[in-house]
Amino acid sequence: MDPQQQRAAIPQRGPPPQTGDFSPILTVFLSFIAIFALIVIPSSSNIKNSLSILHQVPEGHVGVYWRGGALLQTVTDPGFHLKLPLITQYEPVQVTLQTDQVRDIPCGTKGGVMINFEKIEVVNRLGKEYVYETLLNYGVQYDHTWIYDKIHHEINQFCSSHSLQQVYIDVFDQIDEKMKDALQGDCTRYAPGIEIISVRVTKPTIPESIRKNFEQMEEERTKVLISIERQKFVEKEAETTKKMAISEAEKNANVSKILMEQKLMEKDSARREQEIENQMYMAHEKSLADAAFYRVLKEAEANKLKLTPQFLELKFIEAIADNTKIFFGDKVPNMVLDQRLLGNFLQGMSGGMAREVVSEEV
């Protein structure tokens, strides 16, 4: 059979009938609506986490995931992420500093008094690298195990070993540090990812009658402290007055000492000045005496040279000439005429003195 006969033998199909079926378009449209609803459905958090495909991890948190109830090792950073709806559950876990407040913690003291801590704040942080291990062992509510329950236990332990006086007043300032050390010790041992930053404990509430007794005690203690402080003030004031008096006396003594030294220096200066004047006067008088002695000595030497007969005769004649008295009587001419005898006598004297001078020179 040739090809033309074969084509003729094959029955010819006509064009498909024209119908109004829009099922493909409707299917695509419904699928789009379903996907949009799954993405943006604003239901409760659990339903949203189960049904949503796109989810957001806030800053300061990491995303952890469960699939079929089993915790996955996947830990996501802040931002938008995708997951399988209805199969994978998502939960954000904070990894920055957070403050857990534990309220209404009753405890009994060593003496049997019931007190209540209204609020204790615990500042803590979960390390990012320990998120999977911590949640695997203790779940998302890990802080209930290691902070809330642990605070209750430690507070009761502390109260049972201390009296009301110690808990309320004496060692109250140590509770914060003791709680922090106790929490951090167990967390380091069993949950190393949890870091306890600080613990703040508020003052506990105690029975009203006991509180009034404490207030009265505190008032009396305050009065005693005021009295002690007043006594210290009086003693300090007296000591200050004493120091001022001692300082004033020392100042006066120093001033007197300085004035006395000044007077002594003035007296010493006057004494030295007088000594200098005396020395000057003595030197002056000695100079005058030496000059007088030298003058007399020279005059004596000169007189020795003057003792000649001619000079003596001249002096005798000058003495007679200077005498203005006139004598009358028989003896007067004889006295005048006998002047040669006197001259001879004087000449003899001068000769003897000249010989003495020569012998002295030899």
Side-chain angles (χ1 to χ4, degrees):
M1 185 179 294
D2 57 4
Q4 291 181 354
Q5 291 178 351
Q6 290 179 356
R7 285 195 299 268
I10 296 174
Q12 300 292 327
R13 294 179 181 180
Q18 299 293 329
T19 63
D21 190 3
F22 295 97
S23 58
I25 299 175
L26 182 61
T27 302
V28 173
F29 181 72
L30 292 176
S31 300
F32 178 77
I33 292 176
I35 294 172
F36 182 78
L38 291 175
I39 294 175
V40 300
I41 182 171
S43 179
S44 64
S45 60
N46 291 333
I47 298 176
K48 181 178 180 181
N49 290 338
S50 299
L51 299 179
S52 64
I53 297 176
L54 181 66
H55 62 281
Q56 180 184 4
V57 178
E59 187 65 42
H61 296 66
V62 295
V64 293
Y65 305 89
W66 288 262
R67 186 173 299 162
L71 179 64
L72 303 180
Q73 294 186 3
T74 303
V75 178
T76 57
D77 294 328
F80 287 102
H81 301 278
L82 297 175
K83 69 178 184 63
L84 296 175
L86 298 177
I87 298 176
T88 303
Q89 287 78 35
Y90 148 76
E91 190 73 29
V93 177
Q94 187 174 355
V95 291
T96 56
L97 290 179
Q98 58 180 339
T99 302
D100 293 328
Q101 295 184 356
V102 187
R103 296 183 176 274
D104 297 329
I105 307 173
C107 67
T109 63
K110 187 178 181 180
V113 180
M114 290 299 298
I115 62 176
N116 182 67
F117 288 87
E118 294 183 355
K119 183 178 66 173
I120 297 179
E121 296 180 345
V122 181
V123 182
N124 61 94
R125 177 171 54 195
L126 176 62
K128 182 178 178 181
E129 62 275 11
Y130 293 97
V131 170
Y132 172 76
E133 181 182 352
T134 303
L135 268 62
L136 181 65
N137 294 325
Y138 308 107
V140 177
Q141 304 299 329
Y142 64 90
D143 50 354
H144 282 271
T145 303
W146 293 111
I147 295 178
Y148 290 89
D149 297 342
K150 188 66 177 174
I151 280 290
H152 278 268
H153 173 72
E154 294 296 335
I155 285 293
N156 279 275
Q157 289 288 333
F158 181 81
C159 291
S160 62
S161 60
H162 293 82
S163 64
L164 179 61
Q165 172 73 21
Q166 292 174 330
V167 174
Y168 194 71
I169 296 177
D170 295 342
V171 296
F172 177 75
D173 58 337
Q174 304 175 14
I175 298 179
D176 295 350
E177 196 65 28
K178 289 182 178 295
M179 292 299 105
K180 177 181 178 298
D181 293 340
L183 292 177
Q184 188 61 68
D186 285 346
C187 289
T188 302
R189 183 177 180 183
Y190 299 105
I194 303 174
E195 180 185 2
I196 306 299
I197 307 299
S198 64
V199 177
R200 297 188 291 267
V201 181
T202 58
K203 203 78 170 177
T205 56
I206 61 177
E208 186 65 22
S209 59
I210 299 177
R211 186 183 64 81
K212 289 182 179 179
N213 291 335
F214 273 114
E215 289 179 354
Q216 186 176 2
M217 247 168 74
E218 191 65 26
E219 184 178 356
E220 294 297 331
R221 185 182 291 107
T222 303
K223 290 180 180 179
V224 172
L225 292 176
I226 291 174
S227 300
I228 293 174
E229 292 298 326
R230 185 179 292 110
Q231 182 180 358
K232 289 181 180 180
F233 173 75
V234 172
E235 292 177 354
K236 196 70 176 177
E237 188 175 15
E239 184 179 357
T240 303
T241 305
K242 179 181 177 182
K243 288 182 178 179
M244 291 177 62
I246 293 174
S247 177
E248 187 69 20
E250 290 178 352
K251 184 185 73 174
N252 294 333
N254 292 331
V255 171
S256 300
K257 183 179 179 181
I258 292 172
L259 293 176
M260 182 63 68
E261 290 177 353
Q262 182 179 359
K263 290 181 179 179
L264 290 175
M265 291 176 64
E266 291 176 356
K267 293 291 185 182
D268 187 60
S269 298
R271 180 181 60 81
R272 292 181 180 179
E273 183 179 357
Q274 187 64 38
E275 288 179 355
I276 293 172
E277 290 180 356
N278 293 337
Q279 291 176 1
M280 292 174 62
Y281 177 76
M282 290 175 63
H284 178 67
E285 292 297 325
K286 184 177 180 181
S287 299
L288 292 178
D290 291 341
F293 175 75
Y294 183 76
R295 180 174 58 78
V296 171
L297 182 61
K298 292 299 181 181
E299 287 180 353
E301 293 178 356
N303 289 333
K304 287 181 181 180
L305 296 177
K306 290 179 180 179
L307 291 178
T308 59
Q310 293 80 4
F311 181 74
L312 293 176
E313 187 176 359
L314 175 63
K315 289 296 183 181
F316 176 77
I317 294 170
E318 288 178 355
I320 293 298
D322 290 338
N323 191 357
T324 57
K325 293 180 180 181
I326 300 173
F327 297 95
F328 298 94
D330 298 335
K331 295 291 185 180
V332 174
N334 293 331
M335 182 183 62
V336 174
L337 293 175
D338 291 339
Q339 59 184 345
R340 294 188 177 187
L341 297 174
L342 180 59
N344 295 329
F345 174 75
L346 291 175
Q347 184 177 6
M349 288 182 63
S350 62
M353 291 179 68
R355 286 193 297 271
E356 289 179 1
V357 172
V358 171
S359 63
E360 288 179 359
E361 291 179 356
V362 174

